[in-house]
Structures are given as structure tokens and as C-alpha cells.
């Protein structure tokens, strides 16, 4: 019978999992690393979804970061356009 590679991939222990994803701030940091590894605006794929601008500022609204494009004022967040959109 063929071995299922998914089943035998290395996992995380619970303490290791909590170290990476134990708080909302750690989850946001992990998502930011995955979405904008070099930082928002650093590469063409990671620029403003509206106008492609790289310059931005970070606003904080009720605890979550909002990234605002300096050129067109388009606002986006870490979870916008991801599977986490519209979640709390
Ligand atoms: Zn823009």
C-alpha cells in the first residue's frame, strides 16, 4: 500500500504550536510573514492592490493593523482577500 506522505509529515508539538500561534498577535505576525515576507510594498506582488503603490502608512483601528496606500488612500488589512476575511 502506498504511503500517505501527508500523514507522515513532521508536525509541531503543542508547546511549539503555542510558541508560534499562541496569541492573536503571534497569529497576525505569522500571517504578515506569509503574506508580505519582505514587508508591504517591497515587491510588485506585495504592493497596493488598487494602484500598485509601495508607499504606505499603518493605521491601528480597534487593535488590528490597517495598511493605507499613500498614493490612493486605499486601505487593506492582513486578512483582506485571504481565507480569513470577514472573520473575527
Ligand atoms: Zn494605492
Amino acid at each position: 500500500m502506498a504511503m500517505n506522505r501527508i500523514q507522515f509529515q513532521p508536525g509541531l508539538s503543542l508547546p511549539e504550536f503555542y510558541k508560534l500561534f499562541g496569541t492573536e498577535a503571534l497569529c497576525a505576525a505569522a500571517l504578515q510573514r506569509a503574506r508580505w515576507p519582505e514587508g508591504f510594498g517591497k515587491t510588485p506582488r506585495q504592493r497596493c492592490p488598487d494602484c500598485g503603490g509601495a508607499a504606505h502608512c499603518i493605521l491601528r483601528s480597534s487593535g488590528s493593523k490597517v495598511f493605507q496606500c499613500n498614493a490612493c488612500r486605499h486601505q487593506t488589512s492582513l486578512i483582506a482577500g485571504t481565507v480569513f476575511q470577514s472573520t473575527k
Side-chain angles (χ1 to χ4, degrees), residues 48 50-53 69 71-74:
C48 170
D50 236 32
C51 74
C69 174
C72 71
R73 307 281 179 236
H74 177 81

Side-chain angles (χ1 to χ4, degrees), residues 55-78:
H56 69 286
C57 56
I58 296 172
L59 315 171
R60 292 193 184 270
S61 81
S62 63
S64 60
K65 280 187 196 172
V66 173
F67 298 80
Q68 182 174 289
C69 174
N70 286 357
C72 71
R73 307 281 179 236
H74 177 81
Q75 293 186 344
T76 190
S77 70
L78 268 179

Side-chain angles (χ1 to χ4, degrees), residues 5-13 16:
R5 285 207 199 155
I6 299 288
Q7 192 176 354
F8 293 101
Q9 64 186 333
L12 289 176
S13 69
E16 286 168 339

